[in-house]
Amino acid sequence: MLKVAIYGKGGIGKSTITSNLAAAFAAMGKRVIQIGCDPKADSTINLLGGEPLRPVMNYMREEDEEPEELDQIAKEGFGGVLCIETGGPTPGLGCAGRGIIATFQLLEDLRLFETYKPDVVLYDVLGDVVCGGFAAPIREGYAEKVVIVTSGEKMALYAANNISSAVRNFEDRSYARIFGLILNHRNVENETEKVQAFAEEKQIPIVGEIPRSDEIIRWEDQGKTVIEGDADSEISKRFFELAEKLLEDETERVR
């Protein structure tokens, strides 16, 4: 099973990249689970035709009980991707990171992985603060690879540095390792050079590069990933290439 956590600062495009990657894996015939680990709970919306999914934390708060069946908190989207959103506490109350930990424990109790038997699991994780809850995918062994999304913007690179430091703190415990960076272009000045310099300094490869594209925005306005909208487009090819790299690396790891 390929298990990948995708991190990056808020607003950097993690959800767009994660959902397109999920759609690419699905189009390749893989069984995929995507788990959104952001209080905004919008990670999977473009796999579900633009319809938001009820987050796990909302269910528990509104029903005052834990769900007993997976279909109460999960929904299949494009290509059969099983979509789950952790959500967060009532705004201003509680800790969002604690919500992630509670959700992961619930998914274990519901035997998510044993029941669905995925080939690929993707975690879409907010990376502005890598506290205990937001580090859960890499700290608790749920994910084995970490991909960091960044642009050439100062704060995006600052967050990428924090995330890489957090992951490396766990490397000696056989937790997740950094697979690489995805450069999600924002067309800032000297962007490629800035990210390449960061990658060389931190010794992290750039494994994917997504050009700034109106095509992605156009399909998202229709509640779709670009993979669903036009699987043969140049942008879609970037996601398929990244999916192939991840699968090839997993095959080598297993060997």
Side-chain angles (χ1 to χ4, degrees):
M1 189 194 322
L2 172 62
K3 299 181 287 185
V4 185
I6 299 174
Y7 279 82
K9 77 175 290 295
I12 199 60
K14 294 183 310 304
S15 296
T16 292
I17 286 172
T18 307
S19 56
N20 274 283
L21 196 52
F25 280 122
M28 295 161 67
K30 304 299 182 184
R31 285 176 65 80
V32 185
I33 297 175
Q34 179 170 325
I35 302 176
C37 304
D38 190 319
K40 296 197 305 298
D42 59 357
S43 174
T44 59
I45 195 166
N46 291 316
L47 293 166
L48 295 167
E51 294 295 323
L53 180 64
R54 187 185 195 185
V56 174
M57 296 305 293
N58 287 44
Y59 181 98
M60 295 171 68
R61 189 164 55 245
E62 292 161 8
E63 304 296 333
D64 198 25
E65 64 179 11
E66 291 187 354
E68 296 180 354
E69 303 290 339
L70 275 173
D71 60 11
Q72 292 175 296
I73 54 168
K75 188 175 180 180
E76 285 198 6
F78 171 77
V81 177
L82 190 70
C83 301
I84 299 169
E85 297 280 359
T86 67
T90 302
L93 302 173
C95 169
R98 195 177 295 272
I100 295 172
I101 295 171
T103 297
F104 282 12
Q105 183 58 60
L106 173 65
L107 295 176
E108 283 192 15
D109 294 342
L110 292 173
R111 297 177 61 80
L112 169 65
F113 302 120
E114 294 88 342
T115 302
Y116 196 73
K117 296 181 174 61
D119 301 304
V120 180
V121 183
L122 301 175
Y123 300 90
D124 176 6
V125 195
L126 184 66
D128 292 76
V129 181
V130 193
C131 68
F134 289 101
I138 53 177
R139 185 167 54 90
E140 304 296 336
Y142 291 100
E144 294 171 344
K145 295 179 176 63
V146 174
V147 173
I148 303 173
V149 181
T150 188
S151 66
E153 297 162 302
K154 181 178 180 180
M155 294 311 295
L157 290 169
Y158 180 79
N161 182 60
N162 285 342
I163 295 160
S164 64
S165 297
V167 177
R168 282 174 170 158
N169 284 338
F170 297 128
E171 279 186 344
D172 60 345
R173 306 181 202 180
S174 299
Y175 290 157
R177 65 178 178 84
I178 297 175
F179 178 70
L181 297 171
I182 296 176
L183 169 51
N184 194 29
H185 280 273
R186 294 299 182 87
N187 294 349
V188 300
E189 188 175 0
N190 298 323
E191 184 165 39
T192 300
E193 291 79 4
K194 288 176 182 176
V195 176
Q196 285 176 338
F198 174 82
E200 289 170 9
E201 179 187 347
K202 299 299 176 182
Q203 297 183 312
I204 304 172
I206 298 173
V207 295
E209 196 167 340
I210 310 300
R212 194 160 181 84
S213 170
D214 291 337
E215 186 178 355
I216 292 176
I217 297 169
R218 185 171 72 252
W219 288 116
E220 287 190 345
D221 286 343
Q222 299 178 46
K224 297 179 180 181
T225 61
V226 70
I227 301 292
E228 180 180 2
D230 184 0
D232 296 322
S233 72
E234 288 301 315
I235 295 294
S236 292
K237 289 177 184 176
R238 300 292 182 110
F239 292 109
F240 282 116
E241 288 169 2
L242 178 57
E244 289 282 4
K245 283 183 183 178
L246 285 161
L247 289 171
E248 287 170 7
D249 183 77
E250 183 64 10
T251 299
E252 289 299 317
R253 187 190 71 82
V254 171
R255 284 176 183 166

